[in-house]
Amino acid sequence: MYELGDALPEATVEPGTNILISGPPMTGKRELAFRVLAHGTRTGEGAIVVTTKDGADRVLDNYADHLDDGVGDLPVGVVDCVSRQQGMSEEREEDTVRYASSPVDLTGMGIELSELLRDFYQGRGVTRNRVFLYSLSTLLMYSDLQTVFRFLHVSTGRVQSADALGLFAIDSTAHDEQTMSTLKQLFDGAIEIREDDGTRERRLVGFDADSEWREF
């Protein structure tokens, strides 16, 4: 079982579970996901962030803030889908940082994610891994729903076959109801986030844990 940590202490989920994190922009979806990932990193689990918004340097710096002693040699990987598109000439040389050409390059993104999962499992002996893709809304800006659906079908399948935990964030207010309903089919459940009078709240949907709104 995977514990979700202090962000969602009431829940544990089976290996191979895929969760959609949905909410309006700027409501803390990435913050919550990083807290869930960091809970595993502290106990030796792997963490892989597929980023379509920020480059690898910024992702690693932000993630390090959630760990007591930074990332160091911990099994933390990034699939950077931003830097090459923006023409950044310098790329990190670590084996744990991989690059796709842009958020349009779904094939390259999927290949790099699969290779990192395999490297963690076979090369480092890390048998439990957490994956976070941020954000599906960026993918939908560049590709149609059918293309993104096919990519997610493969990606969630990889998470399931690796007995990993998958987190996938989306800006719920940026897409119509049909798009959201179509994508939700691929996930075992969801974490919904809202902001009410400046207070951020979240709830679990589709799991055994209670579905009450709670402040975070």
Side-chain angles (χ1 to χ4, degrees):
M1 301 291 283
Y2 282 92
E3 296 180 351
L4 302 185
D6 63 348
L8 299 116
E10 71 273 23
T12 57
V13 298
E14 296 281 350
T17 295
N18 288 284
I19 302 173
L20 182 67
I21 303 176
S22 67
M26 307 299 290
T27 51
K29 295 182 292 295
R30 184 176 65 172
E31 168 71 16
L32 185 145
F34 274 8
R35 287 168 64 182
V36 173
L37 262 63
H39 181 77
T41 300
R42 295 188 196 99
T43 60
E45 295 178 2
I48 299 173
V49 180
V50 182
T51 173
T52 65
K53 290 204 170 215
D54 299 317
D57 286 343
R58 185 169 181 181
V59 168
L60 289 169
D61 286 345
N62 290 340
Y63 190 59
D65 292 339
H66 293 77
L67 303 171
D68 296 335
D69 299 313
V71 173
D73 293 326
L74 295 171
V76 176
V78 177
V79 179
D80 180 342
C81 309
V82 178
S83 295
R84 288 183 178 175
Q85 182 190 40
Q86 295 179 350
M88 297 180 184
S89 57
E90 293 187 5
E91 296 183 358
R92 300 175 70 103
E93 297 181 355
E94 294 98 323
D95 291 339
T96 53
V97 178
R98 307 296 179 87
Y99 294 88
S101 60
S102 75
V104 181
D105 183 15
L106 300 181
T107 299
M109 196 183 306
I111 289 171
E112 298 301 342
L113 171 59
S114 294
E115 289 187 354
L116 272 177
L117 280 170
R118 183 169 55 251
D119 287 352
F120 279 10
Y121 188 86
Q122 296 180 351
R124 292 190 176 214
V126 181
T127 58
R128 291 169 59 87
N129 293 281
R130 303 184 183 212
V131 176
F132 174 42
L133 193 155
Y134 183 71
S135 143
L136 299 183
S137 294
T138 306
L139 302 187
L140 289 164
M141 287 174 55
Y142 292 98
S143 302
D144 59 49
L145 176 59
Q146 185 178 10
T147 301
V148 174
F149 184 92
R150 287 198 300 267
F151 166 74
L152 284 176
H153 186 268
V154 174
S155 298
T156 54
R158 287 191 179 108
V159 168
Q160 186 174 16
S161 63
D163 284 337
L165 170 65
L167 305 172
F168 298 76
I170 190 168
D171 292 335
S172 57
T173 56
H175 311 288
D176 58 37
E177 186 175 340
Q178 181 179 356
T179 297
M180 294 297 296
S181 297
T182 299
L183 294 178
K184 284 178 181 178
Q185 300 174 45
L186 296 166
F187 298 94
D188 301 295
I191 301 168
E192 296 179 349
I193 296 176
R194 70 182 183 184
E195 191 165 354
D196 185 19
D197 291 332
T199 299
R200 290 176 176 175
E201 297 178 323
R202 53 75 180 164
R203 69 175 179 181
L204 287 162
V205 178
F207 297 102
D208 291 337
D210 70 77
S211 59
E212 295 293 324
W213 287 103
R214 296 171 183 251
E215 184 177 346
F216 80 98

